[in-house]
């Protein structure tokens, strides 16, 4: 189950950083009844994203599957000025405080960075 960015994963990601803007694509599978917790999580994280200069580009519900076998309920795409902005977010104690909401809301997640 992938719900948290571990310190090791973050360090590996930063070590491979080529610099410049970063776009993160997040696919999530909600727990049954997790919609309300996910809304609270999103509301808690939104000002933290803004504080590091991140811009939400898209967030929406799955409309159907064309390729693949895994079911994902929601997608969110966020642009960061650079990987260090992501690191500041992940290391922020206020972001760490949202962990319980994230775990309450999500069954699984997938997070990919793109340039």
């Amino acid at each position: 189950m992938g719900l948290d960015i571990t310190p090791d994963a973050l360090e590996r990601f930063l070590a491979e950083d080529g610099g410049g803007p970063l776009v993160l694509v997040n696919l999530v599978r909600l727990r049954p009844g997790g919609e309300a917790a996910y809304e609270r999580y999103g509301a808690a994280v939104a000002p933290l994203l803004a504080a590091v200069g991140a811009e939400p580009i898209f967030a929406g519900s799955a409309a159907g599957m064309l390729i693949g076998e895994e079911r994902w309920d929601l997608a969110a795409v966020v642009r960061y000025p650079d990987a260090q902005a992501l690191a500041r977010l992940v290391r922020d104690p206020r972001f760490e405080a949202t962990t319980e909401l994230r775990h309450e809301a999500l069954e699984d997640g997938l997070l990919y960075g793109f340039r």
Side-chain angles (χ1 to χ4, degrees):
M1 175 168 27
L3 297 180
D4 302 307
I5 299 172
T6 66
D8 287 344
L10 181 60
E11 291 308 317
R12 267 193 319 277
F13 189 79
L14 293 173
E16 297 169 0
D17 181 33
L22 172 69
V23 174
L24 287 187
V25 176
N26 190 3
L27 301 176
V28 299
R29 186 174 307 118
L30 294 171
R31 292 185 183 282
E35 293 85 358
Y38 193 72
E39 286 181 26
R40 291 192 308 274
Y41 171 73
V45 170
L48 305 178
L49 290 170
V52 298
E55 307 167 57
I57 296 171
F58 172 82
S61 300
M65 185 185 323
L66 297 169
I67 297 175
E69 297 179 14
E70 282 196 73
R71 174 188 61 83
W72 299 103
D73 296 315
L74 303 167
V77 180
V78 178
R79 181 183 178 279
Y80 291 80
D82 52 38
Q84 291 301 320
L86 171 63
R88 285 192 304 279
L89 172 74
V90 171
R91 293 172 177 152
D92 186 324
R94 296 171 298 169
F95 181 77
E96 291 176 8
T98 68
T99 298
E100 186 176 320
L101 279 176
R102 186 170 55 254
H103 287 206
E104 182 182 339
L106 303 181
E107 181 177 293
D108 202 358
L110 190 63
L111 185 60
Y112 272 85
F114 293 92
R115 291 206 191 291

